[in-house]
Amino acid sequence: MAAVFKASTSSATQKLWLHPTRDQHLFTSLSERKCKKRSVLLRTRAISGKLDLDFRDPSWKQKYQEDWGRRFSLPHITDIYDLETRTTTFSLKKNRTPLDDGGVSSTDMRNGYVNKDDRALLKVIKYASPTSAGAECIDPDCSWVEHWVHRAGPRKEIYYEPEEVKAAIVTCGGLCPGLNDVIRQIVFTLETYGVKNVVGIPFGYRGFFEKGLKEMPLSRDVVENINLSGGSFLGVSRGGAKTSEIVDSIQARRIDMLFVIGGNGSHAGANAIHEECRKRKLKVSVVAVPKTIDNDILFMDKTFGFDTAVEEAQRAINSAYIEARSAYHGIGLVKLMGRSSGFIAMHASLSSGQIDVCLIPEVSFTLDGEHGVLQHLEHLLNAKGFCVICVAEGAGQDLLQKSNATDASGNVILSDFGVHMQQKIKKYFKDIGVPADLKYIDPTYMVRACRANASDAILCTVLGQNAVHGAFAGFSGITSGVCNTHYVYLPITEVITTPKRVNPNSRMWHRCLTSTGQPDFH
């Protein structure tokens, strides 16, 4: 939902685009202006999907929630097929008593199933004012509006005959800690339902069309120990063929369920596959599992691989700290992942407690001048003799020459800010005649390739299980994630609208600034 708040004055009209659930700086500047100038006449409207809301209408909240419910309803195979359900074959008991139809006895249910009408609340903080730190407001009064999404988990009724199902798993994009954990758990859960035919598609979407790449039969025995190592057991790649060609391959292989493990781009691809399958009226459930080290998928508390990345990043930061502290006028510079979102840099800086300056894409800064980063580094060397800097890869792109080049996934290839920062620091201290011993560390590929830590392994396990539960429940074009500590299903169309970004007005960023003690670099 994007809301447009208009503040009309005799001289100008200001617009701020707001979103109640995305990490953006909301409404603050307008509120501050209103406090300073009481004569401002405020008129408010909001655009939610195709719905135009007028906050002067007493029923605007009801209309908004109805629109939200429509947008976050989950696509289902019964949208195109008239299908009968059957009793689930998934049970929590090992010694379950099978029914004649292959289902599970009602006495064996143990209340382990999720009702189709269960919902989870996306946000739980009621902000009293738009000026509250991190406030996400829909209207100027910060009215409380509930945002409900579908709870994830196994259902009592399913839409597939497990013995007839052929399920495929594909891992797309770059490497990420936890990929093998998700693959493993999807296979385990499919077998628990009774699926006998599970295959892996090698090297991302490329495996659907590249000659010589054959699908890999998967079973519990095959994937039993793959979680003990990093990388992807199936291999990864970026980009792929046309959606129609991929669906041609899915149709030819007689695949009934496709599990896509990937980030924003891979989710967009999964949604395109889902739409093409619906267009052809194929009974195929396409379910995504969110994978991104950057933690930049909308609405999700976190994505798998993020906790491991932060933990591994601390090792690099600690090395930079030791190098800097041990040298005369030592400077440690660490570049971490984060194309458009600085979550890894922010959390690693917070957790290490050794960072003096943290630079992220969401917060602008200057390097030169009286209030620039470089002069602050000089101050730190004079004050304590050393300093440590952490930068996200997407930080400072406005200070560099832009490139129009893109990778195979269509992402703009970023200029290397870490190297640029390294060169600027060396030149600055050379020009002022102050010795500085700079050590630059880029642990990117070391972080991507490592095994998932305990926290991520648990998240991967639950996400993998829920992906299978979602497919058997008949959903398609959905992703499985954790929102507000609860596991939920979301329509892919809603999570791929824009990357999640650090809110510069959030308490977490304020905590990071408190930890580093850095000033505003403007």
Side-chain angles (χ1 to χ4, degrees):
M1 197 286 292
V4 185
F5 288 77
K6 297 183 180 179
S8 299
T9 67
S10 57
S11 59
T13 298
Q14 180 181 3
K15 295 183 180 181
L16 290 103
W17 292 87
L18 312 186
H19 194 289
T21 52
R22 297 174 192 166
D23 290 320
Q24 296 179 356
H25 183 201
L26 308 183
F27 197 61
T28 304
S29 59
L30 181 56
S31 298
E32 290 172 350
R33 195 164 77 101
K34 185 180 178 184
C35 292
K36 293 176 182 177
K37 194 169 183 178
R38 295 290 179 181
S39 61
V40 171
L41 177 63
L42 191 66
R43 292 183 290 107
T44 59
R45 300 188 70 83
I47 302 169
S48 174
K50 296 182 179 179
L51 182 67
D52 189 1
L53 295 174
D54 186 342
F55 294 125
R56 295 166 297 185
D57 180 357
S59 63
W60 74 263
K61 188 181 295 187
Q62 178 184 347
K63 293 178 180 177
Y64 173 82
Q65 289 182 314
E66 289 174 353
D67 181 63
W68 177 273
R70 285 190 293 269
R71 287 170 49 210
F72 283 81
S73 63
L74 302 179
H76 200 275
I77 56 174
T78 56
D79 296 339
I80 57 173
Y81 273 101
D82 185 15
L83 299 172
E84 295 292 330
T85 61
R86 59 150 297 163
T87 306
T88 185
T89 53
F90 178 83
S91 174
L92 300 174
K93 281 190 176 181
K94 293 289 185 182
N95 58 340
R96 56 187 179 272
T97 304
L99 299 178
D100 293 338
D101 65 354
V104 181
S105 170
S106 60
T107 60
D108 198 27
M109 290 299 187
R110 294 176 58 184
N111 296 322
Y113 299 89
V114 172
N115 189 288
K116 65 178 182 179
D117 295 321
D118 284 357
R119 298 293 185 270
L121 196 58
L122 196 63
K123 295 289 180 179
V124 294
I125 298 177
K126 183 183 184 303
Y127 296 101
S129 166
T131 59
S132 296
E136 297 176 340
C137 301
I138 301 173
D139 69 326
D141 296 324
C142 251
S143 301
W144 170 252
V145 180
E146 296 174 342
H147 296 88
W148 297 103
V149 291
H150 290 255
R151 186 183 177 202
R155 270 60 171 169
K156 287 184 180 180
E157 304 293 327
I158 58 177
Y159 287 83
Y160 288 91
E161 291 290 341
E163 292 185 355
E164 299 175 1
V165 166
K166 180 178 181 180
I169 307 170
V170 61
T171 55
C172 306
L175 290 181
C176 176
L179 281 169
N180 287 333
D181 299 71
V182 178
I183 296 169
R184 179 176 183 264
Q185 203 56 225
I186 290 175
V187 173
F188 283 9
T189 310
L190 285 167
E191 290 196 353
T192 302
Y193 272 95
V195 178
K196 306 293 185 184
N197 192 358
V198 185
V199 299
I201 305 299
F203 301 107
Y205 290 133
R206 183 178 298 275
F208 282 110
F209 63 90
E210 188 84 14
K211 291 183 179 179
L213 295 180
K214 297 181 179 180
E215 60 187 34
M216 305 164 58
L218 300 177
S219 65
R220 176 178 286 268
D221 290 340
V222 172
V223 302
E224 183 73 46
N225 297 315
I226 64 173
N227 62 310
L228 300 181
S229 61
S232 170
F233 180 71
L234 301 177
V236 295
S237 69
R238 297 189 181 276
K242 294 180 180 179
T243 302
S244 59
E245 294 178 4
I246 294 175
V247 177
D248 286 344
S249 179
I250 289 173
Q251 198 167 0
R253 297 167 191 251
R254 299 178 180 269
I255 292 171
D256 304 290
M257 297 179 180
L258 175 63
F259 300 96
V260 179
I261 309 171
N264 278 305
S266 303
H267 271 61
N271 189 64
I273 293 169
H274 156 73
E275 292 292 350
E276 181 66 19
C277 287
R278 286 170 72 93
K279 181 180 176 182
R280 301 187 189 188
K281 299 190 182 305
L282 301 179
K283 186 187 174 186
V284 178
S285 283
V286 182
V287 179
V289 179
K291 173 231 71 174
T292 166
I293 280 183
D294 292 353
N295 196 36
D296 62 351
I297 294 186
L298 207 57
F299 301 114
M300 314 247 174
D301 291 357
K302 64 178 180 179
T303 49
F304 77 82
F306 174 68
D307 278 354
T308 305
V310 172
E311 188 174 305
E312 291 298 315
Q314 283 187 89
R315 304 180 196 279
I317 290 173
N318 188 55
S319 297
Y321 174 82
I322 292 172
E323 286 283 356
R325 181 156 188 167
S326 300
Y328 176 69
H329 281 186
I331 300 175
L333 174 60
V334 180
K335 185 185 80 170
L336 300 177
M337 288 156 292
R339 289 182 53 85
S340 59
S341 304
F343 288 102
I344 293 180
M346 178 176 69
H347 282 258
S349 297
L350 264 172
S351 57
S352 72
Q354 298 170 326
I355 296 298
D356 298 293
V357 175
C358 177
L359 304 177
I360 61 175
E362 296 86 345
V363 180
S364 62
F365 55 87
T366 58
L367 294 180
D368 303 302
E370 181 181 357
H371 302 292
V373 174
L374 296 173
Q375 190 165 111
H376 182 62
L377 299 184
E378 181 186 356
H379 163 73
L380 290 171
L381 292 190
N382 291 333
K384 65 175 193 174
F386 72 98
C387 61
V388 184
I389 311 141
C390 177
V391 302
E393 64 177 315
Q397 292 299 305
D398 58 318
L399 306 176
L400 305 174
Q401 184 175 357
K402 295 187 182 299
S403 169
N404 293 322
T406 58
D407 61 19
S409 297
N411 300 313
V412 174
I413 297 176
L414 300 178
S415 300
D416 196 328
F417 181 70
V419 172
H420 176 75
M421 189 76 179
Q422 178 188 28
Q423 295 170 347
K424 289 286 288 186
I425 292 172
K426 287 182 176 180
K427 183 178 186 304
Y428 177 82
F429 285 101
K430 180 180 179 181
D431 289 347
I432 64 173
V434 174
D437 190 346
L438 175 65
K439 298 296 189 297
Y440 175 52
I441 299 176
D442 179 357
T444 298
Y445 293 104
M446 295 174 63
V447 172
R448 286 169 22 128
C450 66
R451 175 186 172 187
N453 66 8
S455 174
D456 272 331
I458 294 171
L459 179 58
C460 291
T461 296
V462 180
L463 293 180
Q465 290 178 1
N466 283 338
V468 177
H469 295 322
F472 269 100
F475 298 123
S476 182
I478 68 165
T479 188
S480 171
V482 56
C483 301
N484 186 25
T485 74
H486 298 290
Y487 291 93
V488 302
Y489 295 133
L490 299 169
I492 294 177
T493 51
E494 291 298 325
V495 303
I496 61 175
T497 54
T498 184
K500 183 177 74 170
R501 309 188 76 206
V502 173
N503 180 359
N505 191 43
S506 67
R507 287 293 302 127
M508 190 59 75
W509 178 245
H510 293 171
R511 294 179 188 118
C512 185
L513 296 180
T514 301
S515 176
T516 63
Q518 69 191 64
D520 291 330
F521 297 116
H522 294 291

